[in-house]
Amino acid sequence: MREDGDGLSVIVQVVTRWILVLIVVYGLAVASFGHLTPGGGFAGGVVIACGFVLATLAFGGRSGPARAFHRRVAQLEAAGALAFLGVAALGWTLGHFMQAWMPRGSGLTLASAPFLVLLNLAILLKVGAGLFAGFMVLVLFDRLTDAPREGEGGA
Amino acid sequence: MDTILVGFAVFLLLGSAAALAMRNLLSAVITVGLVGMGLSILFLLLGAPDIAITQVVVEVIVVTVMIRVTTRTADEERGRPRSLVAVVAGVGAVLVLVGAALAAFASLPAFGASRAVPADWYLAHAEPATGATNVVTAILLDFRGYDTLGEVTVILAAIAGALVIARHIAGDGTRDAGGEPDRAPQTRNGEEAPHA
């Protein structure tokens, strides 16, 4: 693994570009259908965070498909939390906080529990961006401790 | 089935012990990853695919991050050989705890034989009340939505705190994490930032 943000070889980068799309779609699917099948916002969010970690490892963080994600990760994370709170607060329109306010369709589809779908997607955003932010913070600390300084063991 | 479960449990125990015994950091991380994957298979066999999925993806990201962090220090051996007294004391403590656990388990109902009353209520009401066939999601997001709200808040606070600290100590090094630094690195306590 080369340092200085160069990333891995071209082969890895090209394949990562293809696979990243599938990973993101898979994460979205796991989260969207979390009320019908195993999975949910947390699992989907971790899948997407894994995808962007892969992109960061392949491209080195200074370029590549995860670049735009890097810059906005804190905002996305806050947006996820606020979306969860907003969806929950809209329950007040029907009575109380956290009430399932969206009309429910029938059958085993996305419409069978739209309230849960929205909450799952909010958690997806929050966990995906949050875990990725955690990864970036770890890498950042790693780089900082790696810088030549006296009295530091680079742990 | 029981034999498979016990086999996996023994495998996990051996893996955990091996991870503790490894002197090479990278080997220990890989062994921990092995234990995590075995744990997810165990969850799947026990009929908890939700937990299994979460376990797999969390394991993947944690092992990736840990390998990324330890690659640099992989050559360093950690710790010293343990003294005989410490080993004997540790094994003795484990034996005592296992004996106590076996005595406690003997008084429990048979494995999988009983559910608590609330569990029955949730199983009966999850689908008609929320429209979710996945009972785990119904509980997490609907019946127990407040808990999930708290969890979301905790993650937000943790990540926000980490980003603030990173921005504070990194100064100009934060181009890749959490946006542009918009303030000078020395803002609190008059403490010198590392790169200042």
Side-chain angles (χ1 to χ4, degrees):
Chain A
M1 190 181 299
R2 279 181 293 166
E3 300 297 333
D4 299 321
D6 281 333
L8 305 176
S9 73
V10 174
I11 300 174
V12 178
Q13 293 188 352
V14 169
V15 174
T16 297
R17 231 182 249 282
W18 294 343
I19 284 183
L20 184 61
V21 180
L22 298 178
I23 293 178
V24 170
V25 169
Y26 178 63
L28 282 173
V30 167
S32 313
F33 292 93
H35 61 299
L36 300 176
T37 54
F42 187 84
V46 181
V47 167
I48 287 186
C50 281
F52 282 108
V53 167
L54 170 70
T56 307
L57 291 178
F59 286 89
R62 304 222 178 278
S63 61
R67 183 75 181 98
F69 197 63
H70 290 176
R71 304 172 62 90
R72 294 275 161 254
V73 70
Q75 287 91 333
L76 284 175
E77 211 237 351
L82 289 178
F84 190 94
L85 195 60
V87 172
L90 279 174
W92 268 315
T93 57
L94 279 193
H96 41 85
F97 190 70
M98 211 87 205
Q99 182 161 347
W101 50 274
M102 291 186 73
R104 270 170 45 199
S106 58
L108 301 177
T109 62
L110 279 182
S112 61
F115 177 68
L116 299 186
V117 173
L118 284 187
L119 287 183
N120 259 332
L121 288 179
I123 294 179
L124 165 97
L125 193 57
K126 141 128 232 86
V127 170
L131 272 183
F132 186 73
F135 170 76
M136 289 313 294
V137 167
L138 281 178
V139 171
L140 185 67
F141 285 155
D142 191 35
R143 277 196 193 151
L144 285 180
T145 52
D146 195 39
R149 274 190 288 145
E150 71 283 335
E152 284 285 335
Chain B
M1 185 66 184
D2 274 357
T3 326
I4 302 177
L5 290 181
V6 170
F8 261 104
V10 170
F11 169 74
L12 295 185
L13 284 175
L14 288 180
S16 312
L20 283 175
M22 296 270 179
R23 304 273 304 288
N24 183 302
L25 213 50
L26 189 59
S27 313
V29 168
I30 292 173
T31 317
V32 167
L34 209 62
V35 171
M37 292 302 169
L39 191 59
S40 68
I41 296 177
L42 194 60
F43 281 136
L44 197 61
L45 292 177
L46 285 172
D50 267 285
I51 313 293
I53 289 177
T54 309
Q55 173 68 30
V56 166
V57 287
V58 168
E59 197 61 36
V60 166
I61 198 168
V62 164
V63 168
T64 310
V65 169
M66 284 203 293
I67 285 181
R68 175 69 183 82
V69 170
T70 54
T71 353
R72 189 158 308 161
T73 51
D75 296 336
E76 297 173 13
E77 307 274 303
R78 73 196 161 117
R80 291 188 303 269
R82 294 178 180 81
S83 73
L84 187 65
V85 180
V87 171
V88 170
V91 170
V94 166
L95 287 181
V96 168
L97 285 177
V98 166
L102 286 179
F105 287 153
S107 66
L108 288 179
F111 184 67
S114 80
R115 285 193 306 269
V117 181
D120 286 332
W121 189 90
Y122 282 130
L123 285 179
H125 289 75
E127 209 274 329
T130 68
T133 51
N134 183 353
V135 184
V136 176
T137 299
I139 293 175
L140 278 182
L141 293 183
D142 204 307
F143 296 125
R144 298 276 163 182
Y146 277 36
D147 289 345
T148 306
L149 181 64
E151 176 208 331
V152 164
T153 314
V154 167
I155 303 182
L156 178 73
I159 297 297
L163 283 177
V164 165
I165 295 174
R167 191 175 290 197
H168 175 67
I169 68 168
D172 58 353
T174 52
R175 280 191 307 259
D176 288 335
E180 307 292 330
D182 48 5
R183 255 171 294 170
Q186 312 164 236
T187 47
R188 300 187 58 181
N189 309 333
E191 210 171 290
E192 284 258 306
H195 284 295

